[in-house]
């Protein structure tokens, strides 16, 4: 009798604890989960889309982690992520993965807002990043040593930058090697003589909120999401979700949502271009 009463009391205690959320119960076991890793350019957009998706699907939890496009590729291949984020087109050597494009973006050269220059030619950018131009005075700017900021290996922004300017990683004479776009922007804010390259979407968003940076025109073409959308800005890229093999039903559902008109408002809020 005492044992029976003990079991009843224990059961009632578990029900009470479950109801007030103090322990994980059967509801948590039924939660569906998605692991997404990769590009820091795409991550803020994916976080917003993930929140929207979770609101519409209360039984789903989506974990979004950054680490660069290289991580998105590697984690997808190794099964560590259900979906990878890759902010460039896939290479021929990555044909084992399937791209699912969700938006377009460009890469902008940025300076501190107080820098007097508003445009650099293609050759001037090459000369700055290869160490041939070392002082802003050589470009009719202030007598200040240029602080060259570049991206770490594995970042798709670096790969696109090198490809567009026909450079090798070993050609770059950088004073600072950084990871994500926000780190690049903070480095420019901390050093008014710095130059960096980042996502146009990220740069436009920061500039619109009063952050003291400017986006430079590229050979006369303004760096803007509008020019990425109309195809006139030359340094543009596709933002992709990638999977290996057939995605799970849940992964496919989230990809479909990310590619749907429902996602366009979030894409525009992040200053990217909807497809």
């Amino acid at each position: 009798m005492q044992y029976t009463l003990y079991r009843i009391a224990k059961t009632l205690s578990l029900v009470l604890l479950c109801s007030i959320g103090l322990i994980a119960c059967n509801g948590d076991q039924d939660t569906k989960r998605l692991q997404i890793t990769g590009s820091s350019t795409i991550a803020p957009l994916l976080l917003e889309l993930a929140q929207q998706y979770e609101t519409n699907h209360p039984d789903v939890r989506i974990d979004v982690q950054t680490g660069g496009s290289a991580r998105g590729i590697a984690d997808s291949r190794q099964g560590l992520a259900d979906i990878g984020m890759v902010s460039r087109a896939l290479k021929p050597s990555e044909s084992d993965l399937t791209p699912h494009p969700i938006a377009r973006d460009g890469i902008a050269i940025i300076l501190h807002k107080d820098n007097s220059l508003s445009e650099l030619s293609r050759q001037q950018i090459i000369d700055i990043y290869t160490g041939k131009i070392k002082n802003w005075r050589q470009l009719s700017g202030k007598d200040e040593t240029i602080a060259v900021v570049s991206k770490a290996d594995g970042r798709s922004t670096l790969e696109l930058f090198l490809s567009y300017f026909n450079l090798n990683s070993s050609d770059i004479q950088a004073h600072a090697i950084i990871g994500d776009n926000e780190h690049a922007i903070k480095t420019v804010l901390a050093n008014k003589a710095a130059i960096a390259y980042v996502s146009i979407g990220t740069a436009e968003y920061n500039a619109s909120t009063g952050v003291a940076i400017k986006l430079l025109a590229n050979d006369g073409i303004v760096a803007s999401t509008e020019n990425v959308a109309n195809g006139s800005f030359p340094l543009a890229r596709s933002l992709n979700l990638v999977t290996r093999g057939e995605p799970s039903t849940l992964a496919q559902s989230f990809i479909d949502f990310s590619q749907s008109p429902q996602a366009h408002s979030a894409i525009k809020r992040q200053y990217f271009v909807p497809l």
Side-chain angles (χ1 to χ4, degrees):
M1 178 66 174
Q2 288 181 340
Y3 178 71
T4 302
L5 290 173
Y6 169 77
R7 291 189 63 186
I8 293 173
K10 185 176 181 180
T11 300
L12 289 173
S13 296
L14 286 171
V15 170
L16 178 62
L17 289 171
C18 286
S19 68
I20 62 177
L22 293 179
I23 65 171
C25 301
N26 289 337
D28 187 61
Q29 294 174 1
D30 295 334
T31 299
K32 302 171 185 175
R33 298 186 182 277
L34 269 183
Q35 183 75 24
I36 303 175
T37 67
S39 166
S40 60
T41 295
I42 303 176
L45 170 61
L46 259 286
L47 284 168
E48 185 171 348
L49 293 179
Q51 290 173 355
Q52 292 181 19
Y53 191 89
E54 288 177 349
T55 299
N56 297 329
H57 302 81
D59 60 334
V60 175
R61 293 294 175 267
I62 302 174
D63 182 27
V64 179
Q65 298 180 11
T66 61
S69 294
R71 182 184 177 186
I73 294 288
D75 286 358
S76 298
R77 281 176 163 167
Q78 297 169 21
L80 300 176
D82 302 291
I83 298 172
M85 299 177 289
V86 181
S87 50
R88 58 165 172 77
L90 293 183
K91 303 173 184 177
S93 61
E94 296 162 345
S95 60
D96 56 317
L97 299 174
T98 301
H100 309 273
I102 59 172
R104 285 188 62 76
D105 183 31
I107 295 175
I109 303 295
I110 63 167
L111 303 179
H112 192 279
K113 194 173 182 178
D114 290 346
N115 193 309
S116 60
L117 295 176
S118 59
E119 182 178 351
L120 291 171
S121 70
R122 177 189 179 93
Q123 190 58 51
Q124 286 170 336
I125 293 170
I126 292 172
D127 289 347
I128 289 172
Y129 270 86
T130 56
K132 294 178 183 177
I133 295 177
K134 298 179 181 291
N135 194 297
W136 288 117
R137 180 182 54 192
Q138 295 172 258
L139 298 170
S140 302
K142 292 182 180 179
D143 184 9
E144 294 177 317
T145 300
I146 301 173
V148 176
V149 181
S150 191
K151 291 290 190 83
D153 287 340
R155 300 283 175 169
S156 64
T157 314
L158 169 65
E159 295 181 33
L160 234 68
F161 180 87
L162 294 176
S163 175
Y164 178 76
F165 290 104
N166 197 27
L167 296 171
N168 296 314
S169 185
S170 58
D171 296 328
I172 302 296
Q173 303 296 309
H175 298 91
I177 302 293
I178 50 84
D180 60 29
N181 293 303
E182 293 296 340
H183 191 184
I185 290 170
K186 289 177 181 177
T187 303
V188 171
L189 291 176
N191 187 341
K192 293 184 178 182
I195 182 172
Y197 53 91
V198 298
S199 153
I200 283 181
T202 304
E204 266 198 321
Y205 172 78
N206 276 270
S208 74
T209 61
V211 176
I213 60 169
K214 64 170 69 174
L215 289 71
L216 297 194
N218 187 337
D219 275 332
I221 302 173
V222 174
S224 67
T225 51
E226 180 182 356
N227 285 338
V228 171
N230 65 33
S232 65
F233 192 76
L235 193 44
R237 59 183 173 176
S238 174
L239 303 182
N240 295 295
L241 303 182
V242 302
T243 57
R244 182 172 184 179
E246 287 294 322
S248 67
T249 301
L250 178 57
Q252 186 63 62
S253 175
F254 180 73
I255 290 168
D256 291 343
F257 170 72
S258 301
Q259 293 178 318
S260 73
Q262 299 174 68
H264 287 186
S265 294
I267 291 170
K268 291 177 181 177
R269 276 195 298 272
Q270 296 292 336
Y271 285 79
F272 297 133
V273 177
L275 300 180

